[in-house]
């Protein structure tokens, strides 16, 4: 929590008058929802901008510039630096995780599991567990066909890895910094299970999984180790 004067800029009670001091007046400058590190949940916030003035005998005289902005929690009243807004809300985080698992499954399926019902079922089950409640094997099969057709038209029939790599990066890069290593590893392992559902990794699946690991900012040697151990463990 940031130190400072009360919300109305008045001195806190219990302090005697001083010859000179600094007084900060806060004005509202926007609002939204954030994850409050003070009371630990998704809350509304108000962004506050502070005007610092030099006071002489309690009278504000000289402008000392702006301070903040700070973010004030509507629930607990805690004040934090604007960097707390970089942290996703719990709701946003769940949505990012859900999209990540879905995208990763699609990438692996597109790389080799298209024809396999077992792989599609495994992917749909994983996606549902991650929050894509209405995800089915048929729906994934349709999406994989769309990806195939798009790569065929955009990349003139050659393997179109750049599109999938880009998609993976866009979905996973914003999520990765907010996940502990175990969380990032679990997304990769889930993708590995999809690839392994219909037999050993195909070279294209192995490549897609390497892309997933890289987009999750997992070190290459960890990715290899995890993929090998997943292949040895019967699911
Ligand atoms: Zn709070």
């Amino acid at each position: 929590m940031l130190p400072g004067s009360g919300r109305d800029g008045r001195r806190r009670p219990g302090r005697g008058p001083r010859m000179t001091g600094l007084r900060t007046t806060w004005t509202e400058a926007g609002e939204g929802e954030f994850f409050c590190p003070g009371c630990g949940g998704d809350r509304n916030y108000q962004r506050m901008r502070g005007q610092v003035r030099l006071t002489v005998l309690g009278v504000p005289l000289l402008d000392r510039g702006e301070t903040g902005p700070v973010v004030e929690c509507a629930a607990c009243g805690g004040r934090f630096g604007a960097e707390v807004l970089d942290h996703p809300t719990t709701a946003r985080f769940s949505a990012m995780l859900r999209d990540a698992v879905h995208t990763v499954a699609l990438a692996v399926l597109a790389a080799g599991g298209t024809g396999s019902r077992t792989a599609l079922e495994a992917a749909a089950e994983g996606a549902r567990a991650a929050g894509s409640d209405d995800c089915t094997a048929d729906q994934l099969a349709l999406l994989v066909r769309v990806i195939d057709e798009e790569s065929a038209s955009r990349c003139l029939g050659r393997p179109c890895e750049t599109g999938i790599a880009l998609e993976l990066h866009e979905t996973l890069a914003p999520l990765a910094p907010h996940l502990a290593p175990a969380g990032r590893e679990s997304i990769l392992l889930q993708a590995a299970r999809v690839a392994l559902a219909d037999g050993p990794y195909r070279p294209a699946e192995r490549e897609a999984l390497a892309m997933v690991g890289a987009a999750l900012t997992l070190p290459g040697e960890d990715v290899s180790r995890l993929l090998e151990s997943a292949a040895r463990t019967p699911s």
Side-chain angles (χ1 to χ4, degrees), residues 102-174:
H102 197 257
T103 306
V104 160
L106 274 178
V108 174
L109 289 171
T114 1
S116 157
R117 194 73 200 169
T118 350
L120 286 167
E121 295 287 0
E125 201 184 303
R128 283 197 299 271
S132 304
D133 296 338
D134 50 0
C135 180
T136 62
D138 289 337
Q139 194 192 70
L140 287 175
L142 179 73
L143 286 171
V144 170
R145 253 201 320 277
V146 171
I147 294 174
D148 274 353
E149 279 161 20
E150 231 173 75
S151 336
S153 68
R154 267 193 302 171
C155 308
L156 307 165
R158 283 177 312 223
C160 189
E161 275 155 23
T162 44
I164 292 169
L166 205 68
E167 186 85 10
L168 282 173
H169 186 77
E170 276 174 7
T171 317
L172 300 179

Side-chain angles (χ1 to χ4, degrees), residues 36 39 73 76:
C36 177
C39 55
C73 175
C76 71

